[in-house]
Amino acid sequence: MDGNGRWAQARGLARVRGHEAGGERVEEIIRIAPQYGVRYLTLYAFSKENWQRPQHEVSFLMELLSGYLDQKLKKMMQNNVIFNAIGNLSDLPETIQKKIAYWIEEAKNNTGLTATFAFSYSSRFEIVEACRRIARRVRQGTLEPEAICEQTLSESLYTAGLPDPDLLIRTSGEMRISNFLLWQISYTELYVTEKCWPEFGEEEFAKALQDYQRRERRFGRSGETLPQVL
Ligand code: FPP
């Protein structure tokens, strides 16, 4: 969800106002995504690298997140959303960790959109942690090295149980992946828009999905067309 700072600065506002506006877009996209047939939505809210931002910005983002969990999650529950979080959650303030755990538990029997928030997330760190988990199983004697396959790694990531993404949307024109779901996006379609995240509303979301539908996905094979959902 890139471009919050630039969006604010272009309007003569403090960067944090961009994060506030970005938070509103999060709510909107989660609300409308199921209407477009989307069942899984993963939002990169805060990277492990983001801790290096100025202290006041980090504190603001934590406050925003805390308020979001207090105010918006109830609404997400009413919309049948399954709340999920990935990342090195133990880096977060304890109060926020507790709120996240509470809402994951509250939402576990919902059946609608799975909204996964990445907090203090780093894909490389996720892969390193997965390797550690696998190594421990080998040490315990419950896993043979020869039995380790792609599925073993997939099942050891934070995203275990979630399908790999079909589409990755990057806002604010950045042409890089920035340490996001590196393993999981091997065959994901990429969509880059010049719009900053606070400008990324329903119209832009629909445009991204329509663009995706025109793609021919091959997964390394000869060709296959996508089912039409729009
Ligand atoms: C990147 O924009 C955005 C972030 C580091 C924070 C993302 C947070 C939100 C969208 C709002 C909070 C989310 C929740 C769940 C309440 P940037 O600051 O790097 O912008 P720039 O690239 O223009 O500098």
Side-chain angles (χ1 to χ4, degrees), residues 26-27 29-31 33-34 38-43 68 73 76 80-86 100 103-104 107 110 112-119 162:
V26 170
E27 186 184 6
I29 297 297
I30 288 176
R31 181 169 44 78
V38 174
R39 292 180 48 220
Y40 297 88
L41 184 72
T42 305
L43 297 149
Y68 193 91
L73 261 288
M76 276 170 58
N80 202 19
V81 170
I82 300 166
F83 174 67
N84 187 27
I86 57 171
I100 290 172
W103 284 115
I104 288 176
N110 287 352
L113 175 81
T114 299
T116 301
F117 288 75
F119 300 126
L162 295 174

Side-chain angles (χ1 to χ4, degrees), residues 14-133:
R15 290 174 53 83
V16 293
R17 298 281 88 81
H19 295 318
E20 243 167 34
E24 295 305 313
R25 287 302 186 192
V26 170
E27 186 184 6
E28 179 185 353
I29 297 297
I30 288 176
R31 181 169 44 78
I32 62 162
Q35 295 162 20
Y36 289 85
V38 174
R39 292 180 48 220
Y40 297 88
L41 184 72
T42 305
L43 297 149
Y44 202 176
F46 195 84
S47 72
K48 228 171 165 4
E49 292 76 26
N50 285 155
W51 292 109
Q52 286 154 34
R53 290 197 174 202
Q55 186 52 45
H56 76 273
E57 189 174 342
V58 171
S59 303
F60 185 90
L61 280 166
M62 289 303 125
E63 285 294 312
L64 192 65
L65 171 58
S66 184
Y68 193 91
L69 291 164
D70 288 338
Q71 292 148 28
K72 313 279 189 189
L73 261 288
K74 223 177 259 171
K75 213 182 274 176
M76 276 170 58
M77 286 292 293
Q78 286 158 6
N79 291 332
N80 202 19
V81 170
I82 300 166
F83 174 67
N84 187 27
I86 57 171
N88 197 38
L89 303 181
S90 59
D91 288 344
L92 295 166
E94 228 169 279
T95 49
I96 293 186
Q97 289 182 46
K98 281 189 185 140
K99 287 179 195 185
I100 290 172
Y102 172 82
W103 284 115
I104 288 176
E105 181 63 22
E106 280 293 295
K108 72 173 188 211
N109 293 323
N110 287 352
T111 54
L113 175 81
T114 299
T116 301
F117 288 75
F119 300 126
S120 196
Y121 178 82
S122 149
S123 183
R124 286 184 173 183
F125 186 76
E126 175 184 36
I127 292 169
V128 168
E129 282 220 309
C131 292
R132 287 183 187 147
R133 251 176 243 136

Side-chain angles (χ1 to χ4, degrees), residues 164-206:
D164 287 342
D166 291 312
L167 173 67
L168 181 138
I169 300 171
R170 177 102 207 209
T171 54
S172 86
E174 302 294 357
M175 302 290 274
R176 54 177 177 266
I177 303 299
S178 297
N179 206 3
F180 190 55
L181 303 178
L182 299 178
W183 172 273
Q184 298 88 336
I185 62 167
S186 296
Y187 290 101
T188 297
E189 295 291 324
L190 307 179
Y191 178 85
V192 177
T193 169
E194 289 299 321
K195 296 280 178 192
C196 291
W197 175 253
E199 307 169 304
F200 192 81
E202 179 162 5
E203 201 180 319
E204 292 303 318
F205 186 62

Side-chain angles (χ1 to χ4, degrees), residues 3-19 196 198:
N4 292 346
R6 268 166 285 171
W7 176 88
Q9 276 164 344
R11 283 157 186 78
L13 303 169
R15 290 174 53 83
V16 293
R17 298 281 88 81
H19 295 318
C196 291

